């Protein structure tokens, strides 16, 4: 899935955001599964992404198992000829972004490799920080405070449905 990042950076497409939930140690998953169950975060994710295009890697799609409703779903894969019902399948982030060139807002939703490729070209990050460390095999890239500024934040304590404390925040590129 290696590609020429410079070609993406020169793209006229803007309005690219990342939506991610990370732990205190930047963990996002293990064995292709989420590390926690936070219903409030799932609702937050749905509110942010509904009505928009979402781009994900094939492993992320496999973990979800179906197209997410009320969203245009694009999956990036190295596999040639892969067809998924209700999904547009491409072989690179460049191809995915080319499909979205006329859209106002598009969201990358994972996984680790796709985040790594997209973080240098996105405009904002919709971040859920889970205030706990987890054992993981997939991690989100370190965020640089010189590159990103927090423009909104909402803290939440654990409750009967959400086992861990968490914070929703929006980061924008400086």
């Amino acid at each position: 899935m290696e590609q020429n990042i410079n070609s993406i950076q020169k793209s006229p497409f803007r309005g690219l955001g990342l939506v991610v939930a990370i732990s205190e140690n930047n963990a996002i998953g293990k064995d292709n599964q989420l590390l926690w169950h936070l219903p409030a975060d799932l609702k937050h994710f749905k509110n942010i992404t509904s009505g928009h295009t979402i781009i994900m890697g094939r492993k992320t799609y496999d973990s979800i198992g179906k197209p997410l409703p009320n969203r245009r779903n694009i999956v990036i894969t190295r596999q040639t000829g892969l067809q998924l019902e209700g999904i547009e399948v491409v072989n690179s982030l460049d191809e995915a972004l080319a499909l979205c060139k006329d859209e106002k807002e598009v969201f990358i939703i994972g996984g680790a490799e796709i985040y790594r490729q997209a973080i240098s070209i996105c405009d904002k990050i919709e971040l859920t920080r889970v205030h706990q460390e987890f054992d993981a095999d997939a991690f989100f890239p370190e965020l640089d405070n010189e590159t990103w500024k927090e423009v909104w934040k909402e803290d939440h304590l654990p409750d009967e449905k959400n086992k861990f404390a968490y914070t929703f925040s929006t980061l924008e590129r400086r």
Side-chain angles (χ1 to χ4, degrees), residues 66-137:
K66 62 182 181 189
L68 293 177
N70 195 30
R71 284 157 271 214
R72 179 183 183 191
N73 290 250
I74 300 175
V75 170
I76 302 170
T77 181
R78 291 183 187 104
Q79 297 177 29
T80 56
L82 179 67
Q83 294 184 356
L84 301 167
E85 189 173 333
I87 302 283
E88 293 171 74
V89 179
V90 297
N91 296 119
S92 71
L93 183 56
D94 277 333
E95 283 183 66
L97 293 177
L99 291 175
C100 307
K101 68 182 182 308
D102 297 325
E103 296 183 36
K104 185 175 179 173
E105 196 164 34
V106 173
F107 294 102
I108 304 288
I109 66 165
E113 174 63 19
I114 305 302
Y115 286 137
R116 185 191 66 74
Q117 291 179 29
I119 196 164
S120 66
I121 59 163
C122 70
D123 301 308
K124 73 176 179 175
I125 300 173
E126 296 292 349
L127 178 71
T128 300
R129 172 77 69 175
V130 180
H131 299 294
Q132 182 84 24
E133 290 196 3
F134 291 86
D135 178 41
D137 58 18

